[in-house]
Amino acid sequence: MQKLFESKCDVLHDLEGPVREMISRHLSKRELWYPSDFLPADQRVCDDKQISELRSRAQGISDNARIALTLNVLTEEGLPHFHRLIAHALGEDTAWREWNGLWTAEEDRHGNVLRDYIRDARLLNFSILEKLQFDYIRSGFHPAWSGDPYKIFVYTSAQEKATFISHLNTGKLIAGQEPLLYSITQKIAQDESRHYAFYLNVFKEILDRDPNTALESAADVMPSIDMPGISMANFNEYADVVRRSGIYGPRDYQKIVEQLIGSWNIALLTQLNEIGRKAQDKIMSIPSRLQKVSDFIESRIKAKSFTFDVIFGRILEMA
Ligand SMILES: [Fe+2]
Ligand SMILES: [Fe+2]
């Protein structure tokens, strides 16, 4: 007999034991690293040769990879908003606070190491990057799902997977020119993959306890997710370059949704009430709709030139 829960808060409370175990599992698998493992910055380290070699390797990094790195670093630097959204929805003095602290500390290194690299390598117009970061953090991120813990876990599952793909594929683009930056991107991608596993498992536990309401929340979030940088100036242009570079686009999002549906066994859930069944049907129809969207976008693609201040207004021709 399934235990009945009165509210989402009750479910979160009931999950504290499993979450503590998940945190321990996460800690036992992850390897602790710091940005200075890749880019030493100790007072005693003053290796001009190392820096000049780094800068000369970085010159080979293509402009589309620089645009992808700009979007990746800004996405990571939106962390204060994500910390706030999670803290607000999950509350204090619980295992959730422990997770939010750990997750935030791990994420904080992503923005730091990318920013350190960009600065040390002189990769971008840094003052433009700083302005973008300032404006983005100031405008914030205010998704429709804020305050709903179930929606947060659906969103973070999808978002962690999206950032995993984005860092992984940006790395592939520069692997030939810059092995150091390649290893940074892969290290970040590994973190994102472990975060994905955590959120995926949390939502699995929620589905076990409260399937109808959980499906209703998932059906609201899964049709499309706003990327964190959506409020950034020229966000669509950045996203277009990233898509045209084969790093991340609507086809990837479709695959993410299919994986979530499979991992959460959504098609096989039974004994749902009407709300749950409706949500289940809606979720099952999302992949084919996303496929139509991707087909439509691809059928209209034409070569396009872009210019971005962050790469000093150079013209970027993309197929
Ligand atoms: Fe990250
Ligand atoms: Fe992450």
Side-chain angles (χ1 to χ4, degrees), residues 76 107 110 160 163 167 188 192 195:
E76 296 290 347
E107 288 290 347
H110 300 170
E160 292 284 2
T163 49
H167 290 299
I188 299 174
E192 309 298 22
H195 295 160

Side-chain angles (χ1 to χ4, degrees), residues 178-318:
E178 210 341 11
L180 177 68
L181 182 55
Y182 173 73
S183 53
I184 290 172
T185 56
Q186 305 311 289
K187 185 62 94 182
I188 299 174
Q190 286 164 12
D191 279 357
E192 309 298 22
S193 174
R194 280 185 283 266
H195 295 160
Y196 168 70
F198 180 90
Y199 290 121
L200 189 80
N201 288 330
V202 168
F203 196 72
K204 229 183 233 170
E205 298 279 345
I206 292 176
L207 273 168
D208 284 347
R209 287 164 176 74
D210 190 9
N212 295 299
T213 317
L215 284 175
E216 195 184 17
S217 294
D220 244 17
V221 175
M222 285 167 83
S224 70
I225 57 165
D226 278 343
M227 297 304 276
I230 190 101
S231 63
M232 257 174 64
N234 294 346
F235 174 81
N236 289 337
E237 303 264 289
Y238 279 90
D240 198 1
V241 169
V242 164
R243 183 179 57 75
R244 286 169 189 257
S245 305
I247 294 172
Y248 179 83
R251 295 247 180 245
D252 298 289
Y253 184 63
Q254 182 192 331
K255 277 187 215 139
I256 292 172
V257 169
E258 286 165 353
Q259 280 177 11
L260 293 177
I261 289 173
S263 302
W264 290 332
N265 280 324
I266 289 183
L268 304 175
L269 292 176
T270 52
Q271 294 176 335
L272 300 170
N273 64 21
E274 203 187 325
I275 290 174
R277 274 195 304 277
K278 257 195 193 158
Q280 184 185 38
D281 288 346
K282 181 175 170 189
I283 294 168
M284 295 311 296
S285 72
I286 298 172
S288 62
R289 200 184 55 77
L290 290 173
Q291 189 166 348
K292 279 186 202 139
V293 172
S294 302
D295 291 345
F296 177 72
I297 292 172
E298 282 172 15
S299 71
R300 291 172 36 132
I301 290 179
K302 285 191 219 130
K304 188 174 170 186
S305 20
F306 297 83
T307 54
F308 295 95
D309 291 349
V310 80
I311 50 168
F312 298 94
R314 288 193 292 271
I315 292 173
L316 180 54
E317 304 282 359
M318 299 283 309

Side-chain angles (χ1 to χ4, degrees), residues 5 10 16 33 52 60 82-83 92 119 154 156 165 168 197 218 239 251 270 287 293 298 309:
F5 294 93
D10 286 349
E16 285 201 44
W33 62 273
S52 71
F82 282 89
H83 178 88
E92 289 285 344
R119 188 183 173 114
V154 177
T156 48
I165 295 169
L168 188 84
R251 295 247 180 245
T270 52
V293 172
E298 282 172 15
D309 291 349

Side-chain angles (χ1 to χ4, degrees), residues 27-248:
L27 287 172
S28 70
K29 281 191 200 148
R30 72 104 205 255
E31 171 203 336
L32 191 54
W33 62 273
Y34 299 99
S36 62
D37 299 342
F38 295 93
L39 297 158
D42 195 291
Q43 186 187 7
R44 292 160 300 181
V45 176
C46 185
D47 191 338
D48 292 342
K49 189 166 168 274
Q50 211 178 356
I51 283 286
S52 71
E53 282 172 2
L54 170 72
R55 288 180 189 165
S56 108
R57 285 196 312 273
Q59 280 176 12
I61 296 174
S62 62
D63 277 343
N64 58 324
R66 289 171 199 240
I67 291 305
L69 285 162
T70 305
L71 196 55
N72 289 351
V73 73
L74 290 171
T75 301
E76 296 290 347
E77 296 287 15
L79 184 59
H81 299 299
F82 282 89
H83 178 88
R84 168 182 54 80
L85 286 163
I86 292 174
H88 173 63
L90 304 183
E92 289 285 344
D93 298 325
T94 64
W96 298 107
R97 181 173 74 177
E98 201 184 320
W99 168 254
N100 198 16
L102 172 62
W103 176 83
T104 303
E106 292 188 357
E107 288 290 347
D108 188 46
R109 299 166 310 172
H110 300 170
N112 286 345
V113 72
L114 289 174
R115 202 170 183 279
D116 289 350
Y117 183 90
I118 289 164
R119 188 183 173 114
D120 282 2
R122 303 291 190 263
L123 203 61
L124 297 171
N125 185 333
F126 205 74
S127 56
I128 296 284
L129 180 73
E130 286 179 323
K131 184 176 181 317
L132 284 168
Q133 184 176 338
F134 183 91
D135 291 344
Y136 165 42
I137 293 182
R138 185 177 181 188
S139 63
F141 184 55
H142 307 283
W145 44 260
S146 84
D148 181 328
Y150 289 8
K151 291 183 185 175
I152 282 200
F153 293 124
V154 177
Y155 180 87
T156 48
S157 299
Q159 174 62 22
E160 292 284 2
K161 190 67 163 187
T163 49
F164 163 77
I165 295 169
S166 192
H167 290 299
L168 188 84
N169 289 341
T170 304
K172 285 183 193 161
L173 213 60
I174 41 96
Q177 298 88 39
E178 210 341 11
L180 177 68
L181 182 55
Y182 173 73
S183 53
I184 290 172
T185 56
Q186 305 311 289
K187 185 62 94 182
I188 299 174
Q190 286 164 12
D191 279 357
E192 309 298 22
S193 174
R194 280 185 283 266
H195 295 160
Y196 168 70
F198 180 90
Y199 290 121
L200 189 80
N201 288 330
V202 168
F203 196 72
K204 229 183 233 170
E205 298 279 345
I206 292 176
L207 273 168
D208 284 347
R209 287 164 176 74
D210 190 9
N212 295 299
T213 317
L215 284 175
E216 195 184 17
S217 294
D220 244 17
V221 175
M222 285 167 83
S224 70
I225 57 165
D226 278 343
M227 297 304 276
I230 190 101
S231 63
M232 257 174 64
N234 294 346
F235 174 81
N236 289 337
E237 303 264 289
Y238 279 90
D240 198 1
V241 169
V242 164
R243 183 179 57 75
R244 286 169 189 257
S245 305
I247 294 172
Y248 179 83

